[in-house]
Every structure is written in C-alpha cells, then in structure tokens.
Amino acid sequence: MSEDDYPYQRYGAPYGEQPPPSYGYGGYPPPRPHARGEPNVSGIVALALNLFSVVSCCNVLGVVGAALAGLSLRSGTAPEKARTLTVASWVVLVAGFLMMAVLFVYLGVNGHFDD
C-alpha cells in the first residue's frame, strides 16, 4: 500500500492538502437517525393518572396500569408495542374507575353510608 492510497492526511501534512473522505466506500457512514422519536405523551399521562388513582382512590388496578404505562415508555424503539401497552394501560385505568364506581353504588344502595 503506497502513501497515495491512504485516504487520510499524512502526519505533518499541510492543512487542506487532501479532501476529507466521502460517504462512499472507505469513508464515514452517514449519521444514524435517532432511535427515539417524540416522547410518548399518552404513556406519560397514563402513568401519572394510574399512580394518582392508586394513591387517591386505593385503586389496585392502578398498579397494573402504571406497570403497563411504564413498559410502554421503555419500549421507545418499538412504536407498535408502545402503542399497544399504552392502550392497555388506559383500559385498565378505566376498568379500575368503573369498578370503584360500582363498589360505591353497591355500598350506597345497601346502606353502608347511612350513619
């Protein structure tokens, strides 16, 4: 391999003697796109609401919903998987609220709040 075949500047060569390598063979690869796109806002809101439902309403299904929302935020490179987990988190949140509403109606009808 001769000195002329080397694609980079020699040590001590004047600046600009040889152009930088191109993106073709033997050059640098093109920059990779970002692995993560925009943030999953729906997943963040689902996580916050599920955690709030656990703390405020003692909704035990909120723990499952928070776990699903957390997993959806961690799967940033697989958007279809993240979307599925986020939708599942919202479904669990709504199911937990409906279950709590049915429980309060049941307790109210049976006179448990009549003190």
Side-chain angles (χ1 to χ4, degrees), residues 26-99:
Y28 297 110
R32 292 185 300 179
H34 295 291
R36 292 181 163 240
E38 294 185 16
N40 186 359
V41 176
S42 180
I44 294 170
V45 172
L47 177 65
L49 288 178
N50 275 302
L51 291 175
F52 182 71
S53 73
V54 170
V55 174
S56 65
C57 303
C58 298
N59 185 358
V60 294
L61 289 181
V63 175
V64 175
L68 289 171
L71 287 174
S72 75
L73 294 175
R74 301 275 299 171
S75 62
T77 57
E80 193 62 37
K81 181 179 176 185
R83 187 176 301 114
T84 303
L85 288 169
T86 303
V87 169
S89 174
W90 282 108
V91 168
V92 169
L93 177 69
V94 170
F97 275 124
L98 289 177
M99 190 173 70

